Structures are given as C-alpha cells and as structure tokens.
Amino acid sequence: MNIPQLQIQTTPAKIDLQVTKPVQEIQQPKSTLSIEQPAAILEMSTTRPQLSLDTTENRVDLDLKSVFRRSSENAQYGMQKAQEGSGRRAQEGQQLMKIENGASIADIVKQNTERPMADLQVKFVGDRTKIQMSFSEGSLDINVTPQKPKIDAQINKPIHNYTPGKVSVEMAQYGSIQIDWKV
C-alpha cells in the first residue's frame, strides 16, 4: 500500500554584506609652553665705616706743624725773647752803672758771646700713644624682592578625522520552499 508522502524542500535565503570599516585618526599636538623668570630685584645700601686718626701731636714732634700753630709758637717765643732781652739790657745797664766794682764792657760782651756746647744725642720722635683714633662702624642693608615667573600655557585642541564606515546589503540567494506530494 502506498502511503502518500509530503516532500518539502527549502532553499535558505542568503544575504551578502559589504562592510567598509570606519577610519578614525586622532592626533594630540603638544601644548605650547612659555616660561620666563624675571630676575629678582636686589637693593643694597651701605653706610661707610669711618676711621679718624689725629696725628697732630706726632707731626709736632717731627716739627711738621701747621701754619697757625707755628705762628702762635713764634709769637710766644718772640715775646719771651723780647722780655729776656729787655731784662738783659736792664741788667747790663746796672753793671755799667757800677763800673767802679770792676765790671767792664768786655765782660758784658764775653757774657753775650759765650754759648754752651750743644749735646749730641739720638732722639726718637713720633710717639704712637699720642695718636688719637676714633672709629664708627658702617652698615650694609640688603633687600631682595623675588619676582614671580611668567608662565604662558596654550593647550592645543586634538586633531580628529573620522571617516564613517558603510554597510551595503544584497541578497545573494533568495529563499524558496518546494512542496511535493508523492502518492
């Protein structure tokens, strides 16, 4: 006995996909950086030290006197010698008045012309203890003002190129169904 049969034959559908991949390019340029450091401001002020040496008395010992001092000493010396001269003249006049006591003009001349012998000796001049010294200290003031650095930073934007991808779809094979009866 024959049993009827049902035969089904199918052909699947096929899709063909054409894919173009997307392209993405990213570049990040380096940032631009400029740094400048100004020099610090330096201010210095000084007060000079002073050393004062008064060597007037040492110079007098070396006979290096000022004009004013020498003039004053010469005036005193002149007054002293004038007084001594007038006293001597008065004494000589007294001697001549008493000529009967045996005084003569020759004796007076002899007294005025005889001088004692000068002593020769070594004399050290210039005593260090006679130097008058005064000292005032100096000072140094330093003021430093630092300067802040000047920083200029520019951030560069990234360079971005993008090409989108494509997908194209085509039917490579259409699907089908065939049904058959066999008896």
Side-chain angles (χ1 to χ4, degrees):
M1 149 171 195
N2 275 346
I3 302 175
Q5 288 184 342
L6 180 64
Q7 280 186 340
I8 300 175
Q9 199 175 17
T10 60
T11 305
K14 291 185 180 177
I15 299 175
D16 186 22
L17 297 177
Q18 297 285 329
V19 178
T20 306
K21 291 187 176 183
V23 177
Q24 178 170 294
E25 293 175 347
I26 299 175
Q27 291 179 346
Q28 177 63 57
K30 291 183 179 180
S31 59
T32 307
L33 184 63
S34 170
I35 300 175
E36 182 181 337
Q37 176 65 58
I41 298 170
L42 178 65
E43 295 172 346
M44 296 172 64
S45 63
T46 60
T47 304
R48 290 185 175 190
Q50 274 193 315
L51 174 63
S52 177
L53 299 174
D54 184 6
T55 59
T56 306
E57 295 304 316
N58 278 35
R59 292 174 63 81
V60 167
D61 289 349
L62 297 173
D63 199 30
L64 300 172
K65 302 173 187 173
S66 68
V67 173
F68 302 111
R69 187 160 183 168
R70 194 171 295 278
S71 298
S72 173
E73 287 179 359
N74 284 343
Q76 287 176 359
Y77 181 75
M79 289 293 288
Q80 179 186 351
K81 288 301 178 181
Q83 289 173 356
E84 287 176 7
S86 18
R88 193 178 70 240
R89 297 289 186 281
Q91 181 186 8
E92 289 172 358
Q94 292 292 330
Q95 282 180 350
L96 287 175
M97 280 177 31
K98 298 181 181 175
I99 203 160
E100 67 270 3
N101 293 340
S104 68
I105 295 178
D107 292 337
I108 293 173
V109 170
K110 189 177 178 185
Q111 285 176 358
N112 289 339
T113 55
E114 283 185 5
R115 296 195 177 190
M117 290 286 280
D119 292 337
L120 280 178
Q121 40 179 305
V122 176
K123 181 180 178 185
F124 294 100
V125 293
D127 187 6
R128 284 188 293 158
T129 60
K130 290 183 180 179
I131 296 176
Q132 296 176 359
M133 181 173 46
S134 66
F135 178 73
S136 63
E137 292 182 359
S139 66
L140 173 63
D141 295 325
I142 299 174
N143 186 15
V144 178
T145 306
Q147 299 294 315
K148 292 185 177 180
K150 296 177 182 175
I151 300 173
D152 182 23
Q154 292 180 341
I155 300 171
N156 296 322
K157 292 183 178 180
I159 300 170
H160 184 228
N161 292 324
Y162 178 71
T163 306
K166 287 184 179 180
V167 177
S168 53
V169 180
E170 293 181 3
M171 286 300 285
Q173 179 178 333
Y174 289 97
S176 64
I177 297 178
Q178 290 180 354
I179 301 173
D180 239 356
W181 286 97
K182 283 194 178 180
V183 185

